[in-house]
Amino acid sequence: MKRTSAGLLAVLALLGGAVGFALDQLLTASGRATFTPSLLLPVLLVLIAAAALGVAWPVRRSVRSGVRIDPFRALRAATLARASSLLGAIMAGFGAGLLVFLLTRPIDPPIGSTVAMAALIGSAIVLVIAALVAEQFCTLPKDPDDSEPRDRAPEPGGGH
């Protein structure tokens, strides 16, 4: 499994920002109030970050101690970490898009909305960082069997 690239995270954040900006634009164009995320959303993102680190920590501990761990357990932890980093990038971009829309309006935005969006962006960045650390925790050392070249099997039907 390849590591999560910074480029992919940046693209997802930009797409999330575009969606957040467009959503608020459409809401205000139709005469509705702008979207304000709940203050529980940042709490949820931080809990997901803690869960990703919590699932990856036993993998790190077993790698450091030299105790063999089930590779599927490490793969599950790495998959959770990768999904969390992607979600964090999308949510950070979405919150930034909402915030940019509010700050570009001619009227001053409500403090509650600004705080909610700043909390969303901050917790999403915490999620991305925690998920990348958890992904690092799930890096297993190469198996000694994998480093030795295997004898090539003869090609079927090949011959003289």
Side-chain angles (χ1 to χ4, degrees):
M1 183 175 190
K2 290 168 60 174
R3 293 195 163 210
T4 305
S5 70
L8 176 61
L9 295 176
V11 166
L12 289 175
L14 287 173
L15 288 174
V19 168
F21 190 89
L23 174 68
D24 263 358
Q25 181 70 35
L26 288 173
L27 287 173
T28 55
S30 65
R32 297 188 178 134
T34 58
F35 179 78
T36 302
S38 169
L39 287 175
L40 292 177
L41 183 58
V43 173
L44 178 64
L45 294 179
V46 170
L47 288 175
I48 294 171
L53 286 172
V55 169
W57 184 256
V59 176
R60 179 181 189 266
R61 191 175 53 219
S62 71
V63 168
R64 294 254 176 162
S65 67
V67 176
R68 183 141 170 89
I69 189 169
D70 180 19
F72 290 110
R73 182 177 183 181
L75 181 64
R76 285 184 207 109
T79 302
L80 174 64
R82 183 178 177 108
S84 297
S85 66
L86 299 178
L87 173 68
I90 291 168
M91 294 307 292
F94 183 74
L98 294 174
L99 186 61
V100 165
F101 180 80
L102 275 185
L103 295 177
T104 57
R105 295 183 64 192
I107 59 171
D108 290 334
I111 296 294
S113 295
T114 307
V115 168
M117 290 173 206
L120 174 61
I121 295 166
S123 63
I125 291 171
V126 166
L127 177 59
V128 170
I129 292 169
L132 291 176
V133 168
E135 191 175 337
Q136 172 67 31
F137 285 173
C138 295
T139 304
L140 297 177
K142 289 202 178 231
D143 224 1
D145 296 339
D146 292 341
S147 62
E148 297 174 10
R150 296 188 177 170
D151 294 332
R152 294 188 87 197
E155 294 181 19
H160 302 279

